[in-house]
Amino acid sequence: MENCKHCMAPQISLDVNNMMADAIGEKGVNAARVDALAEVAAKAAKAVESNRGTGWLGWTELPYNQDEIVADIEETAQMIRNEFDAFVVLGIGGSALGPIAVQQALNHLHYNELPDGKRPGPRFYVEDNIDPERMASLFDVIDVKKTCFNVITKSGATAETMSQYLILSTALKNAIGEGWQKHIIATTDCEKGNLIKLAHQEGFKLFYIPSSVGGRFSELSPVGLLPAAVCGIDIRGMLHGAKCMDGRCKSENVWENPALLEAVLQYICMQEKGANIQVVMPYADSLKYMADWFCQLWAESLGKNVTRDGAPCNVGQTPTKALGVTDQHSQLQLYTEGPYDKVVTLMKVGSFRETTEIPHGCEQFADVAFLGGKTLNQLIEAERQGTEYALYKAGRMCQTITLPVVNAQTIGQLIYFFEMATAYAGELLNIDAFNQPGVEESKIASYAVLGNENEKYAKKREEMQHKAERKKQYIL
């Protein structure tokens, strides 16, 4: 296990041996091809570095510029722990997936079921969808009089989040009356948008999302830090881990900078190998939702139809998630024998936080008895190695990210690693990795359907009336 050179914190690692032609043959990547892209990679690294903290790269400075904000978050989190039984995040996309992933990674896997004395914070819920049954179900498990709601939307115009706000603020007014505002914390843009106006009007406690930080890059801002702190997670450790990874990403040498190497390899996969799917497969339940968070980051950032120069491109790699060992018993069949259109990213934990022994028994069954005396720790690692070998034998590209332990520092490293790899990949593809016009088209169409009278939505509504009619023969 390697440690950070500056602070000796455990350091995550990227093993790409089974991505390379040296190991798996012609379907793998030649090291010479990586070397041939060394100058292009260095240029990508320089572009990201030279634009730090500007445009939509504000997230690169989050490990360094939040001392006062972190102190405020920690004080607010302590107040919430003292006064409330439940903490509910209202958000969608990056405002939800990050807090979910970090909570799953760093707290007890049955956190909400723990008795009050064993939980480091209030019960925690993230409402990241607008299924009407889901909202009704939330009211069945919380007491609004004892619940704090964190409304997260940069624009304050996110229909899903603001509809939830309208429902829950009405419930608070009905249940509490005067003083209901103390149950709301707003996390939003510092200058513009509906939510900041509402927060000033009602007197909500406010945290700000930096204007140069987009939603899917916001986990290390108050978007993710407040929910984590409320639940007793070491947010300073997360930021320190991000800082450690940032230090490793200073090199312009593709063989020294792990995020740059990852971006170059995935660029080759997309553009030259036909591997337009990346399967992220953690072998740890704690990392299950880190795969979900990565999928949003990678898909929304890299799925683009024009380059920065306006040329048509239709690029991007489809991320999908699997869970080891659960999906090893089904999806692995496709990964080993299906099309050569995938790269599999395994995630490994070096040392789990618990050791669970397997008792002796069933001695009459040799294929069961051999498990006795071993541990689940040994079994899950053996299964991961089995998957890795099956992919290797089949000549499929596979890489492994290892977290020596799962703690605040290594999760901070992992988040920052994926963010940097995404930024580098955007440079290599010559696309804007920070916009989302395809998502915006869906939003505009949705609001048009609902009858928003704004001119933009009215025009879209008229446009939609001319779409192709559905044919009955295609509906069974």
Side-chain angles (χ1 to χ4, degrees), residues 349-371:
V349 174
S351 179
F352 284 85
R353 292 168 292 204
E354 299 287 346
T355 299
T356 301
E357 297 181 354
I358 304 171
H360 289 280
C362 295
E363 301 299 334
Q364 69 274 36
F365 307 118
D367 54 356
V368 176
F370 87 101
L371 295 168

Side-chain angles (χ1 to χ4, degrees), residues 19 62 65 72-73 78 144 152 190 221 237 253 270-271 273 282 336 360 362 370 378 405 412 442 453 470 475:
M19 293 286 291
L62 293 176
N65 62 7
D72 189 6
I73 286 172
Q78 183 61 55
V144 293
I152 308 176
C190 61
S221 78
N253 185 330
M270 287 182 259
Q271 300 296 89
K273 290 290 181 180
T336 56
H360 289 280
C362 295
F370 87 101
Q378 291 173 294
V405 292
S442 169
E453 293 303 324
R470 297 183 187 275
I475 304 173

Side-chain angles (χ1 to χ4, degrees), residues 59 62-63 65-66 70 73 102 213 217-225 235 238-243 293 408 411-413 415-416 419:
W59 54 271
L62 293 176
N65 62 7
Q66 297 190 96
V70 167
I73 286 172
V102 168
V213 175
F217 289 86
S218 66
E219 175 55 23
L220 295 176
S221 78
V223 168
L225 297 181
I235 60 174
M238 287 173 59
L239 292 170
H240 183 76
K243 191 182 299 184
W293 173 81
I411 290 298
Q413 291 175 48
I415 289 170
Y416 203 84
E419 291 178 339

Side-chain angles (χ1 to χ4, degrees), residues 6 11-12 41-42 44-46 48-49 52 59-60 64 241-254 256-262 413-422 424:
H6 304 290
Q11 186 169 278
I12 72 172
K46 285 179 182 176
V48 173
E49 183 65 23
R52 289 181 69 98
W59 54 271
T60 56
Y64 304 97
K243 191 182 299 184
C244 289
M245 179 54 68
D246 188 42
R248 295 175 67 189
C249 294
K250 294 296 184 186
S251 174
E252 294 172 8
N253 185 330
V254 68
E256 294 177 359
N257 180 332
L260 186 59
L261 176 60
E262 172 67 1
Q413 291 175 48
L414 184 65
I415 289 170
Y416 203 84
F417 164 79
F418 280 136
E419 291 178 339
M420 288 297 287
T422 302
Y424 292 146

Side-chain angles (χ1 to χ4, degrees), residues 267-472:
Y267 172 80
I268 294 170
C269 287
M270 287 182 259
Q271 300 296 89
E272 302 173 17
K273 290 290 181 180
N276 249 10
I277 299 170
Q278 183 177 176
V279 181
V280 180
M281 192 172 188
Y283 272 75
D285 275 29
S286 60
L287 301 176
K288 177 178 180 180
Y289 292 113
M290 290 306 303
D292 292 64
W293 173 81
F294 167 78
C295 284
Q296 187 219 8
L297 176 72
W298 199 246
E300 193 172 359
S301 298
L302 302 185
K304 301 294 159 62
N305 65 2
V306 293
T307 67
R308 285 173 171 156
D309 308 317
C313 61
N314 296 112
V315 296
Q317 186 185 54
T318 301
T320 185
K321 58 184 180 177
L323 179 65
V325 299
T326 302
D327 295 316
Q328 180 180 321
H329 288 263
S330 54
Q331 296 180 30
L332 187 58
Q333 176 63 36
L334 175 65
Y335 305 156
T336 56
E337 296 189 6
Y340 286 88
D341 59 355
K342 301 171 190 68
V343 54
V344 179
T345 299
L346 302 177
M347 296 178 70
K348 169 187 172 180
V349 174
S351 179
F352 284 85
R353 292 168 292 204
E354 299 287 346
T355 299
T356 301
E357 297 181 354
I358 304 171
H360 289 280
C362 295
E363 301 299 334
Q364 69 274 36
F365 307 118
D367 54 356
V368 176
F370 87 101
L371 295 168
K374 296 182 173 62
T375 66
L376 291 183
N377 309 57
Q378 291 173 294
L379 180 58
I380 197 169
E381 172 56 14
E383 300 235 26
R384 188 202 64 79
Q385 290 184 30
T387 293
E388 184 178 56
Y389 181 75
L391 291 164
Y392 160 79
K393 186 177 179 181
R396 309 302 174 118
M397 287 186 289
C398 172
Q399 60 182 2
T400 300
I401 298 171
T402 299
L403 282 71
V405 292
V406 177
N407 62 22
Q409 291 186 345
T410 58
I411 290 298
Q413 291 175 48
L414 184 65
I415 289 170
Y416 203 84
F417 164 79
F418 280 136
E419 291 178 339
M420 288 297 287
T422 302
Y424 292 146
E427 291 296 326
L428 293 169
L429 291 166
N430 189 29
I431 57 165
D432 185 343
F434 305 105
N435 66 359
Q436 52 277 332
V439 174
E440 293 303 317
E441 174 68 17
S442 169
K443 289 180 181 178
I444 294 169
S446 299
Y447 299 169
V449 170
L450 283 173
N452 189 309
E453 293 303 324
N454 180 287
E455 182 181 357
K456 175 171 62 174
Y457 306 121
K459 285 183 178 180
K460 183 60 62 176
R461 188 158 53 249
E462 182 179 350
E463 174 191 317
M464 292 171 71
Q465 290 172 356
H466 299 288
K467 67 183 179 181
E469 291 187 14
R470 297 183 187 275
K471 296 183 178 180
K472 292 184 179 179

Side-chain angles (χ1 to χ4, degrees), residues 176-187:
I176 298 169
E178 186 176 349
W180 66 271
Q181 297 93 335
K182 294 178 181 178
H183 292 247
I184 300 281
I185 295 176
T187 305

